[in-house]
Amino acid sequence: MGLPYFEINGGTRLRGTVRVSGAKNAALPIMAAAILCEGEVILRDVPRVADVFSLAELLIKLGVDVERRADGALRLVTRDEMNCRAEYDIVRKMRASICVLGPLLAKRHQAQVSMPGGCAIGDRPVDLHLRAMRLLGADVDLVAGDIVARAKRLRGREIFLGGPFGSTVLGTANAMMAATLAEGVTVIEMAACEPEVADLANFLNKCGASISGHGTPRIVVEGVRELHGCEYTIIPDRIEAGTLMVAGAITNGELTLENCRLDHLMAFVDRLAAIGVNVEKTDKGVVVSSARRLEPVDVTTQPFPGFPTDLQAQLMALLCVADGNSIITEKIFPDRFLHVAELNRMGAHLRKEGPTVIVEGVKRLVGAPVMASDLRASAALVLAGLAARGTTKVNRIYHLDRGYERFDDKLRAVGADITRKEGGDDAG
Ligand code: EPZ
């Protein structure tokens, strides 16, 4: 049988309208936060992607009923609080499972979460998550590969969440979720400012939490006794939106994106403008179109509101066909460059020097069989395939399915020649 893969015949200009889905990275912690709530949580615009299915599977094991309603909304209600354990099998599949740690500890007073390992994008420590739980008063041990945390009642206090690479998105989410039910006031300094963290805070406030300062590096949480459920709509996925913008630009096409928040994409749009891609807000949505000649640029990934690491691979695909040399520096995950060798297989001229890649623009990319290594790298290879001459076969697209909702269908609807096939190659 083999695995699913994409076959892409490049060279068609994309034209038309695409709706951006709800943000995976906002939906995941918000789903985990349902553990904290008494009563029903109804979430709208939760994308149908593999990571959401994996987290739903974990939440069901943790006694939360998770159901997709006929109207598309996700309904979550806690039925049983006995099980507090997230096993290796599921954490290994999806690192974001770590975001049940804070909610379990705050609501059920104990949590046992398998320690996540590294992944294709590099070392991914969780020391800052553990520091936050300890500062809130939990006893935290590592037992046979599991994080085991206990606390009768968490107590609010000051938490500094800065690490060698800046703040931590899911660490801030965990600290904030745990603090909602702690006694007293918690101040999180050097909190992550990402829109997904702010979305989680808005959701928690709607459930009765008292959080302020979200979206800034200083978040203040006043503990409350109890959280109730609510209905909430997840923000649009800024990374999917950015990926679609590159799809429009790399094919010299014109795409209109519905459900797109430009205020979440300022650094990215700034770089697109420097490259020569037009991005314009209109009544119908955000219109992206590209002039023929693409200018090279330098870009460095940074925490929000800087340029997002989750769009680094996609921008690299675009810069491969710019007219000159670009420099891309990765400051969040310095090893997140597995797509470099694959793009070179398609005729790109990329040279990696430590956490930096020098991109020498080429006239055209050429279709080839390539292998996806992680979610955003897969997207970059699809984008390169859309622009390349000839046929590109992107193997291991299960990585892409983790975070992009019906990506092939969306691209096909605006003119891409992309087909999902069975029988792909999984050779290492
Ligand atoms: C979130 O991961 C996202 N995942 C990632 O998206 C994204 O790349 C990343 O934030 C950075 O924006 C989800 O939201 C589910 P971090 P997270 O903790 O929270 C270091 C995608 O493609 N660090 O903000 O796990 C860490 O090594 C995914 O959708 C510590 O040193 O990332 C990194 O250098 C991939 N100690 C930096 O901080 C810690 O305890 C930022 O990581 C935690 C992190």
Side-chain angles (χ1 to χ4, degrees), residues 14-75:
L14 302 192
R15 268 178 207 287
T17 302
V18 192
R19 183 178 188 277
V20 176
S21 299
K24 167 190 80 97
N25 288 349
L28 294 173
I30 291 177
M31 285 170 67
I35 291 174
L36 293 163
C37 301
E38 305 290 338
E40 201 178 61
V41 170
I42 307 287
L43 301 178
R44 296 188 193 284
D45 247 346
V46 175
R48 286 174 171 82
V49 295
D51 275 7
V52 162
F53 305 146
S54 300
L55 186 63
E57 199 185 306
L58 170 60
L59 290 174
I60 290 167
K61 286 194 177 142
L62 294 172
V64 181
D65 282 338
V66 184
E67 174 208 355
R68 184 70 79 160
R69 297 195 320 195
D71 66 356
L74 206 65
R75 176 180 177 272

Coordinates of all heavy atoms in Angstrom, one line a residue, residues 14-75:
L14 N -1.9 30.3 -9.2 CA -3.1 30.1 -8.3 C -3.9 31.4 -8.3 O -3.4 32.5 -8.2 CB -2.6 29.8 -6.9 CG -1.8 28.5 -6.7 CD1 -1.7 28.2 -5.3 CD2 -2.3 27.4 -7.5
R15 N -5.2 31.2 -8.5 CA -6.1 32.3 -8.5 C -7.4 31.9 -7.8 O -7.9 30.8 -8.0 CB -6.5 32.7 -9.9 CG -5.7 33.7 -10.5 CD -6.0 34.0 -12.0 NE -4.8 34.4 -12.6 CZ -4.3 35.6 -12.4 NH1 -4.8 36.5 -11.6 NH2 -3.2 36.0 -13.0
G16 N -7.9 32.8 -6.9 CA -9.2 32.5 -6.3 C -9.2 32.9 -4.8 O -8.3 33.5 -4.3
T17 N -10.2 32.3 -4.2 CA -10.5 32.7 -2.8 C -10.3 31.4 -1.9 O -10.8 30.4 -2.2 CB -11.9 33.3 -2.6 OG1 -12.0 34.4 -3.4 CG2 -12.2 33.7 -1.2
V18 N -9.6 31.6 -0.8 CA -9.4 30.4 0.2 C -9.8 30.9 1.6 O -9.4 32.0 1.9 CB -7.9 30.0 0.2 CG1 -7.8 28.7 1.0 CG2 -7.3 29.9 -1.1
R19 N -10.5 30.1 2.3 CA -10.8 30.4 3.7 C -9.7 29.8 4.6 O -9.4 28.6 4.5 CB -12.1 30.0 4.1 CG -12.5 30.4 5.6 CD -13.8 30.0 6.0 NE -14.1 30.6 7.3 CZ -13.7 30.1 8.5 NH1 -13.0 29.0 8.5 NH2 -14.0 30.7 9.6
V20 N -9.1 30.6 5.5 CA -8.1 30.1 6.4 C -8.8 29.5 7.6 O -9.9 30.0 8.1 CB -7.2 31.3 6.9 CG1 -6.3 30.9 8.0 CG2 -6.5 32.0 5.7
S21 N -8.3 28.3 8.0 CA -9.0 27.6 9.1 C -8.6 28.2 10.5 O -7.7 29.1 10.5 CB -8.5 26.1 9.1 OG -8.8 25.5 7.9
G22 N -9.3 27.7 11.5 CA -8.9 28.1 12.9 C -7.5 27.6 13.2 O -7.0 26.7 12.6
A23 N -6.8 28.3 14.1 CA -5.4 28.1 14.4 C -5.2 26.8 15.3 O -5.7 26.7 16.4 CB -4.8 29.2 15.2
K24 N -4.5 25.9 14.7 CA -4.1 24.6 15.4 C -3.5 24.9 16.7 O -3.8 24.4 17.8 CB -3.2 23.8 14.6 CG -2.5 22.6 15.3 CD -1.4 22.0 14.6 CE -0.1 22.7 14.5 NZ 0.9 22.3 15.5
N25 N -2.5 25.9 16.7 CA -1.7 26.1 17.9 C -2.5 26.9 19.0 O -2.0 27.0 20.1 CB -0.4 26.8 17.6 CG 0.6 25.8 16.9 OD1 0.3 24.6 16.9 ND2 1.7 26.3 16.4
A26 N -3.6 27.5 18.6 CA -4.5 28.1 19.6 C -5.5 27.0 20.1 O -5.8 26.9 21.3 CB -5.3 29.3 19.1
A27 N -6.0 26.2 19.2 CA -7.0 25.2 19.5 C -6.5 24.2 20.5 O -7.2 23.8 21.5 CB -7.5 24.5 18.3
L28 N -5.2 23.8 20.4 CA -4.7 22.7 21.2 C -4.7 23.0 22.7 O -5.3 22.3 23.5 CB -3.3 22.2 20.7 CG -3.2 21.5 19.4 CD1 -1.8 21.3 18.9 CD2 -4.0 20.2 19.3
P29 N -4.0 24.1 23.1 CA -4.1 24.5 24.6 C -5.5 24.8 25.0 O -5.8 24.5 26.2 CB -3.1 25.7 24.7 CG -2.7 26.1 23.3 CD -3.1 25.0 22.4
I30 N -6.3 25.4 24.2 CA -7.7 25.7 24.6 C -8.5 24.4 24.9 O -9.2 24.3 25.8 CB -8.4 26.7 23.6 CG1 -7.7 28.0 23.6 CG2 -9.8 26.8 23.9 CD1 -8.2 29.1 22.7
M31 N -8.2 23.4 24.0 CA -8.9 22.1 24.3 C -8.4 21.6 25.6 O -9.2 21.1 26.4 CB -8.6 21.1 23.1 CG -9.3 21.4 21.8 SD -8.7 20.4 20.5 CE -9.1 18.7 21.0
A32 N -7.1 21.7 25.9 CA -6.6 21.1 27.1 C -7.2 21.9 28.3 O -7.4 21.3 29.4 CB -5.1 21.2 27.1
A33 N -7.4 23.2 28.1 CA -8.0 24.0 29.2 C -9.4 23.6 29.6 O -9.8 23.9 30.7 CB -8.0 25.5 28.8
A34 N -10.0 22.8 28.8 CA -11.4 22.3 29.1 C -11.3 21.5 30.4 O -12.3 21.3 31.1 CB -12.0 21.5 28.0
I35 N -10.1 20.9 30.7 CA -9.9 20.1 31.9 C -10.2 21.0 33.2 O -10.7 20.5 34.2 CB -8.5 19.6 32.0 CG1 -8.3 18.5 30.9 CG2 -8.1 19.0 33.4 CD1 -6.8 18.0 30.8
L36 N -10.0 22.3 33.0 CA -10.1 23.2 34.2 C -11.6 23.5 34.4 O -11.9 24.1 35.5 CB -9.4 24.5 33.9 CG -7.9 24.4 33.8 CD1 -7.3 25.7 33.1 CD2 -7.3 24.3 35.2
C37 N -12.5 23.3 33.5 CA -13.8 23.9 33.5 C -14.9 22.9 34.0 O -14.9 21.8 33.7 CB -14.2 24.3 32.1 SG -13.1 25.5 31.4
E38 N -15.8 23.5 34.8 CA -17.0 22.8 35.2 C -18.0 23.1 34.0 O -18.2 24.2 33.7 CB -17.6 23.3 36.5 CG -16.7 23.4 37.6 CD -16.3 22.0 38.2 OE1 -17.1 21.0 37.9 OE2 -15.3 21.9 38.8
G39 N -18.6 22.0 33.5 CA -19.7 22.3 32.5 C -19.1 22.2 31.1 O -17.9 21.9 30.9
E40 N -20.0 22.7 30.2 CA -19.7 22.4 28.7 C -18.9 23.5 28.1 O -19.1 24.7 28.2 CB -21.1 22.4 28.1 CG -21.3 21.8 26.8 CD -22.7 21.8 26.3 OE1 -23.3 22.9 26.1 OE2 -23.3 20.8 26.2
V41 N -17.9 23.0 27.3 CA -17.1 24.0 26.5 C -17.4 23.7 25.0 O -17.3 22.6 24.6 CB -15.6 23.7 26.8 CG1 -14.7 24.5 25.8 CG2 -15.2 24.1 28.2
I42 N -17.8 24.8 24.3 CA -18.1 24.7 22.9 C -17.1 25.5 22.1 O -17.0 26.7 22.3 CB -19.5 25.2 22.6 CG1 -20.6 24.5 23.5 CG2 -19.9 25.0 21.1 CD1 -20.9 23.1 23.2
L43 N -16.3 24.8 21.3 CA -15.3 25.6 20.5 C -15.6 25.6 19.0 O -15.9 24.5 18.4 CB -13.9 24.9 20.7 CG -13.4 24.8 22.2 CD1 -12.1 24.1 22.3 CD2 -13.3 26.2 22.8
R44 N -15.6 26.8 18.5 CA -15.9 26.9 17.0 C -14.5 27.1 16.3 O -13.6 27.7 16.8 CB -16.8 28.1 16.7 CG -18.1 27.9 17.4 CD -19.1 28.9 16.9 NE -20.3 28.8 17.8 CZ -21.2 27.9 17.7 NH1 -21.1 27.0 16.8 NH2 -22.2 27.8 18.6
D45 N -14.5 26.6 15.0 CA -13.3 26.8 14.2 C -12.1 26.0 14.7 O -11.0 26.5 14.5 CB -13.0 28.3 14.0 CG -13.2 28.7 12.6 OD1 -13.4 27.8 11.7 OD2 -13.2 29.9 12.3
V46 N -12.3 24.9 15.3 CA -11.2 24.0 15.6 C -10.9 23.2 14.3 O -11.8 22.5 13.8 CB -11.6 23.0 16.7 CG1 -10.5 22.0 17.0 CG2 -12.0 23.7 18.0
P47 N -9.6 23.3 13.8 CA -9.4 22.7 12.5 C -9.4 21.1 12.6 O -9.1 20.6 13.7 CB -8.0 23.1 12.2 CG -7.3 23.5 13.5 CD -8.5 23.9 14.4
R48 N -9.8 20.5 11.5 CA -9.8 19.0 11.5 C -8.4 18.6 11.0 O -8.2 18.4 9.8 CB -10.9 18.5 10.5 CG -12.3 18.7 11.0 CD -13.3 18.3 9.9 NE -14.6 18.2 10.4 CZ -15.4 19.3 10.6 NH1 -15.0 20.5 10.4 NH2 -16.7 19.1 11.1
V49 N -7.5 18.5 12.0 CA -6.1 18.1 11.6 C -5.7 17.0 12.6 O -6.3 16.9 13.7 CB -5.1 19.3 11.7 CG1 -5.4 20.4 10.7 CG2 -5.1 20.0 13.1
A50 N -4.6 16.3 12.2 CA -4.3 15.1 13.0 C -3.9 15.4 14.5 O -4.2 14.7 15.4 CB -3.1 14.4 12.3
D51 N -3.2 16.6 14.7 CA -2.9 16.9 16.1 C -4.1 17.2 17.0 O -4.1 16.8 18.1 CB -2.0 18.2 16.1 CG -0.5 17.9 15.9 OD1 -0.2 16.7 15.6 OD2 0.3 18.8 16.0
V52 N -5.1 17.7 16.4 CA -6.4 17.9 17.1 C -7.0 16.5 17.5 O -7.5 16.3 18.6 CB -7.4 18.8 16.3 CG1 -8.8 18.7 16.9 CG2 -6.9 20.2 16.4
F53 N -6.9 15.6 16.5 CA -7.5 14.3 16.7 C -6.7 13.6 17.9 O -7.2 12.9 18.7 CB -7.5 13.4 15.5 CG -8.2 14.0 14.3 CD1 -7.8 13.8 13.0 CD2 -9.3 14.8 14.5 CE1 -8.4 14.4 11.9 CE2 -10.0 15.4 13.4 CZ -9.5 15.2 12.1
S54 N -5.3 13.7 17.8 CA -4.5 13.1 18.9 C -4.8 13.7 20.2 O -4.9 13.0 21.2 CB -3.0 13.3 18.6 OG -2.7 12.8 17.3
L55 N -5.0 15.0 20.3 CA -5.2 15.6 21.6 C -6.6 15.2 22.1 O -6.8 14.9 23.3 CB -5.1 17.1 21.6 CG -5.3 17.8 23.0 CD1 -4.2 17.3 23.9 CD2 -5.3 19.3 22.9
A56 N -7.6 15.1 21.2 CA -8.9 14.6 21.6 C -8.8 13.2 22.2 O -9.4 12.9 23.2 CB -9.9 14.7 20.4
E57 N -8.0 12.4 21.5 CA -7.8 11.0 22.0 C -7.3 11.0 23.4 O -7.7 10.3 24.3 CB -6.8 10.3 21.1 CG -6.8 8.8 21.0 CD -5.7 8.4 20.1 OE1 -5.6 8.8 18.9 OE2 -4.8 7.6 20.6
L58 N -6.3 11.9 23.7 CA -5.7 12.0 25.0 C -6.7 12.5 26.0 O -6.9 12.0 27.1 CB -4.5 12.9 25.0 CG -3.9 13.3 26.3 CD1 -3.4 12.1 27.1 CD2 -2.7 14.3 26.2
L59 N -7.5 13.5 25.6 CA -8.5 14.1 26.6 C -9.5 13.0 26.9 O -10.0 13.0 28.1 CB -9.1 15.3 26.0 CG -8.2 16.6 25.9 CD1 -8.8 17.7 25.1 CD2 -7.7 17.0 27.3
I60 N -9.9 12.2 26.0 CA -10.9 11.2 26.2 C -10.4 10.2 27.3 O -11.1 9.9 28.2 CB -11.3 10.5 24.9 CG1 -12.2 11.4 24.0 CG2 -12.1 9.2 25.2 CD1 -12.4 11.0 22.6
K61 N -9.1 9.9 27.1 CA -8.5 9.0 28.1 C -8.4 9.7 29.5 O -8.4 9.0 30.5 CB -7.0 8.6 27.7 CG -7.0 7.7 26.6 CD -5.6 7.1 26.4 CE -5.6 6.0 25.3 NZ -4.4 6.0 24.5
L62 N -8.4 11.0 29.5 CA -8.3 11.7 30.8 C -9.7 12.0 31.3 O -9.9 12.9 32.2 CB -7.5 13.0 30.6 CG -6.1 12.9 30.3 CD1 -5.4 14.2 30.0 CD2 -5.3 12.2 31.5
G63 N -10.8 11.4 30.7 CA -12.1 11.5 31.3 C -12.9 12.7 30.7 O -13.9 13.1 31.3
V64 N -12.5 13.3 29.6 CA -13.2 14.4 29.0 C -14.0 13.9 27.8 O -13.3 13.2 26.9 CB -12.2 15.5 28.5 CG1 -13.0 16.7 27.9 CG2 -11.4 16.0 29.7
D65 N -15.3 14.1 27.7 CA -16.0 13.7 26.5 C -15.7 14.7 25.4 O -15.8 15.9 25.7 CB -17.5 13.7 26.8 CG -18.0 12.5 27.5 OD1 -17.2 11.5 27.5 OD2 -19.0 12.5 28.2
V66 N -15.3 14.3 24.2 CA -15.0 15.2 23.1 C -15.9 14.8 21.9 O -15.8 13.6 21.5 CB -13.5 15.2 22.7 CG1 -13.2 16.2 21.7 CG2 -12.6 15.4 23.9
E67 N -16.6 15.7 21.4 CA -17.5 15.3 20.4 C -17.6 16.4 19.3 O -17.6 17.6 19.7 CB -18.9 15.1 21.0 CG -20.1 14.9 20.1 CD -21.4 15.4 20.7 OE1 -21.4 15.8 21.9 OE2 -22.4 15.3 20.0
R68 N -17.5 16.1 18.0 CA -17.7 17.1 17.0 C -19.2 17.1 16.7 O -19.8 16.2 16.3 CB -16.9 16.6 15.8 CG -16.8 17.5 14.6 CD -16.0 18.8 14.8 NE -14.6 18.6 14.7 CZ -13.7 19.6 14.4 NH1 -14.2 20.9 14.3 NH2 -12.4 19.5 14.4
R69 N -19.8 18.3 16.9 CA -21.3 18.4 16.7 C -21.6 18.5 15.2 O -20.7 18.9 14.4 CB -21.8 19.6 17.4 CG -21.7 19.5 18.9 CD -22.5 20.5 19.6 NE -22.6 21.9 19.0 CZ -23.0 23.0 19.6 NH1 -23.4 22.9 20.8 NH2 -23.0 24.1 19.0
A70 N -22.8 18.4 14.8 CA -23.2 18.4 13.4 C -22.9 19.8 12.8 O -22.6 19.9 11.7 CB -24.7 18.1 13.3
D71 N -23.0 20.9 13.7 CA -22.7 22.2 13.2 C -21.2 22.5 13.1 O -20.7 23.6 12.7 CB -23.3 23.3 14.0 CG -22.8 23.4 15.4 OD1 -21.9 22.5 15.8 OD2 -23.2 24.2 16.2
G72 N -20.3 21.5 13.3 CA -18.9 21.6 13.2 C -18.2 22.0 14.5 O -16.9 21.9 14.6
A73 N -18.9 22.5 15.5 CA -18.3 22.9 16.7 C -17.8 21.7 17.5 O -18.4 20.6 17.4 CB -19.2 23.7 17.6
L74 N -16.8 21.9 18.3 CA -16.3 20.8 19.2 C -16.8 21.0 20.6 O -16.8 22.1 21.1 CB -14.7 20.9 19.2 CG -14.0 19.6 19.5 CD1 -14.2 18.6 18.4 CD2 -12.5 19.9 19.6
R75 N -17.4 20.0 21.2 CA -18.0 20.0 22.5 C -17.2 19.2 23.5 O -16.9 18.0 23.2 CB -19.5 19.5 22.4 CG -20.2 19.5 23.8 CD -21.6 18.9 23.6 NE -22.3 18.8 24.8 CZ -22.2 17.7 25.6 NH1 -21.5 16.7 25.3 NH2 -22.9 17.7 26.8

